[in-house]
Amino acid sequence: QEGGVKRRVEISSVHAKATPFGAYDSLFIGAVQDRWFSLLESRDFARDRTGKVVLEFRLNYDGRITDMKEVENEVGELLGLLCQKAVLDPAPFAKWPSDLRRMVGADYREVRFTFFYN
């Protein structure tokens, strides 16, 4: 949503509604988003900051997150760490359904999350 939203998260390489594994992706995205909002509200972070943080990582078939990289950060180290915690704290996520693993053809998916502070 644009306009008036103080913070939002965008996941550019996982489109939950457009994939055959939308149910898994929706739960995964929801867990990360819920944790991020909780972290921000717990200490009233990002009150005056605007910008974005972009993370790239592997989501493994067993629900683990590996190879996380912060590829862009416009808001500083602390808010970047909060984004990383938002992904790592709820992990490990559910194991992939067997159909998902067959369709991906690998033991991991490359994921890119963009967190916006508005």
Side-chain angles (χ1 to χ4, degrees):
Q1 286 182 334
E2 296 289 345
V5 176
K6 294 195 185 303
R7 54 190 175 253
R8 62 187 170 96
V9 63
E10 175 181 296
I11 299 83
S12 57
S13 68
V14 179
H15 300 287
K17 304 259 190 267
T19 66
F21 23 86
Y24 183 94
D25 290 346
S26 291
L27 291 171
F28 171 66
I29 292 165
V32 172
Q33 189 171 20
D34 289 348
R35 182 62 182 141
W36 186 51
F37 290 158
S38 175
L39 288 166
L40 289 174
E41 291 169 4
S42 70
R43 296 233 169 87
D44 203 21
F45 287 109
R47 188 168 248 186
D48 299 331
R49 304 297 302 258
T50 60
K52 67 182 177 181
V53 174
V54 179
L55 302 178
E56 293 179 346
F57 54 88
R58 287 184 174 180
L59 172 59
N60 295 280
Y61 76 96
D62 60 0
R64 292 178 304 114
I65 300 295
T66 57
D67 301 324
M68 182 176 287
K69 302 180 284 208
E70 187 177 86
V71 295
E72 188 173 349
N73 184 335
E74 300 173 349
V75 293
E77 185 177 347
L78 179 60
L79 295 180
L81 289 172
L82 285 181
C83 296
Q84 291 180 42
K85 282 185 64 58
V87 175
L88 295 172
D89 285 357
F93 298 93
K95 289 185 179 183
W96 296 358
S98 58
D99 289 346
L100 173 62
R101 195 167 178 192
R102 268 195 306 276
M103 291 178 78
V104 171
D107 288 340
Y108 64 88
R109 294 165 68 194
E110 298 288 344
V111 179
R112 180 181 179 102
F113 268 50
T114 303
F115 297 83
F116 291 94
Y117 294 91
N118 301 22

